[in-house]
Amino acid sequence: MARRAMTSVRSRRLAYVLRKQRIAAGLSAAELARSVGMSGSKISRFENCESGIYLDDLEKLIDFYGMSKKRRVELLDIARHAEERGWLRMNHPSVSEDWRTWADFESEASALLNYEPLVIPGLLQTPEYAKHVIAATGGGLNSGHEDLLVASRRARQAVLDRATPLEMHAVIEESVLQRRGLPDGVMAQQARHLTEVATKTNVQVQIMPQAAGLHEGVSGSFAILKYDDEPSLILLEHKLTSLFLDEDDHIQAYSEVWRDLVSKAWTVEESVDYVRAMA
C-alpha cells in the first residue's frame, strides 16, 4: 500500500495530540469546525494525517483549546517540520512529555516488537523492578518522582489488557535475568510475573541464550511499533535522546534484524520453562 503523503512521525504526533484534545473537549469534528470557522472535512483530514495543517489554522486551535505557551511552541515547531522524516528528541526522565510521546504512539499501535539486551521491557516490568531500574538510570530523581514514573509505566501496561489488546513480542537477553545488584526477591518476583504475563494470548516472550554468541542485536535495544493502517515506527532510546525512525529502508532493516533475533532465541515454550525454573 502506498505511503500517505503526511505520515511522518512528526505529522502523526501532531494529529494524535489534536485529535486527543478535541475528544477531551467532548466535541465532534463538525462541532469543532463550527466553533473555529473551519470545515469538518478539514479537521478530519489533518487529524487523520491525510493532509497537513496551515500554521494559522493550528494557532486557531491552540487558542481555542487554551493551550499553554510551552505547548504552543512545541506544536508549531512540529508543524513547521512535519514533512521531515525521523525525529530526534532530547529527553530526560524528569520530563513527562518525553515519556508521553512514546506512550501515545504505543497506545495506538496494534503490535509491539521489543528487543532488550539490558533490562526487562517496560510493559512487562513489576513495580518493584521498575523502581530500581528508574532509580539506577534517572540521574538522581527524588523518590516522589520515581514513584510517579513507576505509576506511569504501570498505566502504560493497560494496553496489554484492553478490549483489543496490543500484541507484544519480546526478545530478552538471558543475561538480563541473571543481573546482580537487585535486592533479594525482586528478580524472582519479576521472573514469576514474566511467566504469568506470557500466558496471555497476546504476549510472546523469547529468551536469547548467551550461547547464541554475537548476533544482529548487539548494536543495542530497539522497539518496532506496528499499525493496522499506518507504516511502522522504530524507537531507539538512549540516555539523553530518543530517535524515532519512519523511513521505509530503516523499517525494513530493523525488521530483518528482528527476524534474525527470533530465529536464534529459544522458542516461546523453552523460554517460559527457563524463566519459570528461575522463579
Side-chain angles (χ1 to χ4, degrees):
M1 183 175 67
R3 181 190 289 273
R4 290 182 185 177
M6 293 297 296
T7 52
S8 72
V9 64
R10 288 179 177 84
S11 63
R12 288 162 73 172
R13 173 60 178 164
L14 183 60
Y16 178 88
V17 170
L18 294 177
R19 185 168 64 252
K20 186 176 180 180
Q21 192 74 44
R22 175 180 58 76
I23 292 171
L27 298 171
S28 67
E31 290 169 335
L32 174 62
R34 286 194 295 270
S35 298
V36 296
M38 299 181 198
S39 69
S41 60
K42 176 184 281 191
I43 299 288
S44 295
R45 283 197 303 274
F46 60 66
E47 281 192 2
N48 290 292
C49 285
E50 294 171 354
S51 70
I53 183 171
Y54 291 111
L55 292 181
D56 56 346
D57 285 339
L58 178 55
E59 289 191 296
K60 284 183 184 178
L61 293 174
I62 291 172
D63 291 338
F64 177 78
Y65 291 131
M67 295 182 178
S68 67
K69 182 178 179 181
K70 178 181 177 182
R71 193 64 152 168
R72 173 187 292 270
V73 171
E74 178 198 10
L75 296 184
L76 288 172
D77 182 67
I78 292 175
R80 290 187 185 99
H81 301 279
E83 296 185 25
E84 297 176 14
R85 291 294 176 188
W87 193 15
L88 178 66
R89 283 181 60 91
M90 300 301 295
N91 69 41
H92 189 281
S94 65
V95 183
S96 60
E97 179 59 32
D98 298 314
W99 290 60
R100 191 162 61 233
T101 299
W102 174 249
D104 288 345
F105 283 133
E106 190 177 69
S107 70
E108 293 208 316
S110 58
L112 169 64
L113 313 179
N114 194 181
Y115 168 66
E116 285 293 351
L118 299 175
V119 296
I120 301 296
L123 291 185
L124 305 179
Q125 292 177 4
T126 64
E128 293 77 12
Y129 181 89
K131 186 174 180 64
H132 287 287
V133 170
I134 290 169
T137 60
L141 296 175
N142 61 52
S143 59
H145 210 135
E146 288 174 4
D147 290 342
L148 182 62
L149 294 178
V150 171
S152 173
R153 186 162 298 183
R154 287 284 289 171
R156 282 175 49 210
Q157 294 174 358
V159 296
L160 298 177
D161 297 303
R162 64 194 182 191
T164 303
L166 179 76
E167 298 284 337
M168 182 173 186
H169 191 168
V171 174
I172 307 168
E173 288 288 338
E174 180 184 6
S175 58
V176 171
L177 295 163
Q178 299 176 349
R179 185 175 297 280
R180 300 180 180 180
L182 290 166
D184 290 343
V186 171
M187 183 53 81
Q189 183 186 46
Q190 175 63 68
R192 286 193 295 273
H193 176 69
L194 205 54
T195 60
E196 291 169 5
V197 75
T199 64
K200 296 177 183 289
T201 58
N202 59 305
V203 177
Q204 296 183 75
V205 175
Q206 288 183 258
I207 303 301
M208 178 68 73
Q210 296 189 64
L214 296 176
H215 52 71
E216 287 273 19
V218 296
S219 57
S221 65
F222 64 90
I224 304 175
L225 281 177
K226 301 176 79 68
Y227 299 84
D228 292 331
D229 301 315
E230 297 283 357
S232 299
L233 287 178
I234 311 293
L235 172 69
L236 307 178
E237 191 170 19
H238 304 288
K239 176 68 175 178
L240 298 178
T241 60
S242 292
L243 178 61
F244 295 94
L245 302 176
D246 59 358
E247 290 280 14
D248 291 337
D249 55 347
H250 294 158
I251 294 168
Q252 179 179 348
Y254 275 94
S255 296
E256 291 173 359
V257 172
W258 177 257
R259 287 191 288 272
D260 179 70
L261 294 173
V262 168
S263 70
K264 292 178 178 175
W266 285 326
T267 66
V268 170
E269 293 76 15
E270 292 169 337
S271 299
V272 171
D273 287 344
Y274 173 82
V275 178
R276 184 180 291 114
M278 286 195 64

